[in-house]
């Protein structure tokens, strides 16, 4: 790891239609509030990055992150499948209530051990952490700022890595919507700032 000071800016996508409906998984577009966040985010980045080296924008391959990056212009955008949300397998498109009602044993197992629980035909948090390894290596190598627009479970894992939080805390770390977490890496260590745009 080199010590060129540069920020990593983490944010979830703007609120999606599935967020409004309380459904997990899926690949829906942004709600009105989500679209507003995308615009505010572009304005924020314009100001925040104007005195920095050329930044890049990393998104997942899901619509809601790509649309959130949409209003940001003039910066290279890279899509990573490794930044896609935790894959919820057979629970894709369900609400937590529906999972609890229709698959109570699954719901219970996840409550008991959210870190290790793997959705049937889907992923666990540990799987997500593992697939993020190449992203982390690439983030460590960067000398310019990177804006990562991704999803709750993925950002919990990335944040925990940079903020040095224990593995067991990862599934419950707070990563609210419409908030930017800025991590500044430099010689003096890691510093954090949060900007709530809405
Ligand atoms: O399923 C998608 C969510 O962003 C992950 O949240 O692990 O707290 O259920 P959860």
């Amino acid at each position: 790891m080199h010590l060129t000071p540069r920020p990593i800016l983490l944010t979830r996508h703007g609120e999606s239609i599935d967020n409004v409906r309380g459904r997990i998984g899926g690949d829906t577009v942004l709600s009105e509030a989500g679209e507003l966040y995308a615009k505010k985010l572009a304005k924020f980045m314009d100001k925040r990055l104007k005195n920095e080296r050329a930044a890049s924008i990393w998104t997942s391959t899901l619509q809601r992150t790509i649309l959130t990056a949409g209003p940001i212009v003039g910066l290279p955008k890279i899509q990573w499948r490794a930044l896609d949300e935790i894959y919820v397998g057979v629970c894709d498109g369900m609400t937590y209530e529906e999972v609890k009602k229709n698959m109570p044993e699954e719901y219970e197992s996840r409550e008991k051990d959210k870190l290790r629980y793997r959705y049937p035909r889907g992923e666990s948090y540990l799987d997500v952490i593992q697939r993020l390894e190449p992203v982390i290596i690439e983030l460590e190598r960067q000398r310019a700022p990177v804006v990562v627009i991704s999803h709750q479970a993925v950002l919990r894992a990335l944040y925990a890595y940079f903020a040095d939080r224990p593995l067991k805390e990862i599934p419950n770390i707070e990563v609210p919507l419409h908030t930017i977490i800025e991590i500044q890496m430099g010689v003096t260590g890691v510093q954090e700032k949060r900007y709530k745009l809405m």
Side-chain angles (χ1 to χ4, degrees):
M1 181 182 155
H2 63 81
L3 293 167
T4 316
R6 86 281 185 206
I8 296 174
L9 297 126
L10 307 175
T11 179
R12 287 172 69 186
H13 54 82
E15 181 189 70
S16 69
I17 300 288
D18 270 351
N19 287 147
V20 176
R21 294 178 182 147
R23 300 201 175 276
I24 55 175
D27 190 14
T28 52
V29 297
L30 301 179
S31 69
E32 238 172 74
E35 281 173 8
L36 181 61
Y37 178 67
K39 287 187 194 135
K40 285 180 183 268
L41 180 68
K43 265 202 191 139
F44 174 92
M45 290 304 168
D46 219 30
K47 259 203 192 151
R48 174 64 191 85
L49 299 174
K50 71 170 184 287
N51 297 320
E52 300 274 358
R53 295 169 181 228
S56 54
I57 314 294
W58 297 6
T59 68
S60 73
T61 66
L62 298 169
Q63 290 200 79
R64 52 197 187 272
T65 64
I66 297 166
L67 291 169
T68 303
I72 303 174
V73 287
L75 296 177
K77 294 176 188 170
I78 301 160
Q79 291 176 22
W80 287 78
R81 193 168 293 277
L83 287 175
D84 284 1
E85 182 54 306
I86 186 170
Y87 184 50
V88 298
V90 298
C91 296
D92 195 79
M94 291 168 86
T95 64
Y96 290 113
E97 274 310 304
E98 286 167 351
V99 178
K100 192 172 179 180
K101 189 163 158 248
N102 305 334
M103 309 168 77
E105 310 79 23
E106 295 298 328
Y107 190 87
E108 265 304 294
S109 315
R110 190 165 200 255
E111 289 280 283
K112 277 197 194 118
D113 190 352
K114 198 173 169 190
L115 179 69
R116 282 176 192 79
Y117 171 81
R118 179 180 282 140
Y119 283 101
R121 285 194 247 138
E123 290 181 304
S124 67
Y125 267 88
L126 287 181
D127 295 328
V128 172
I129 292 163
Q130 198 180 5
R131 74 160 138 97
L132 280 173
E133 201 181 307
V135 178
I136 289 172
I137 292 170
E138 212 36 61
L139 275 174
E140 294 273 22
R141 277 164 31 97
Q142 297 297 311
R143 284 163 195 277
V146 180
V147 180
V148 181
I149 305 175
S150 182
H151 307 263
Q152 181 163 238
V154 168
L155 291 172
R156 281 172 170 157
L158 276 184
Y159 173 79
Y161 173 81
F162 289 109
D164 203 17
R165 298 276 287 269
L167 193 63
K168 65 172 187 340
E169 280 184 15
I170 289 178
N172 299 307
I173 292 175
E174 262 211 68
V175 182
L177 277 174
H178 304 165
T179 303
I180 299 157
I181 304 176
E182 175 173 331
I183 293 167
Q184 184 79 36
M185 324 256 287
V187 265
T188 53
V190 174
Q191 279 164 6
E192 180 191 322
K193 274 188 207 156
R194 291 193 181 218
Y195 306 92
K196 206 167 166 48
L197 298 196
M198 281 164 73

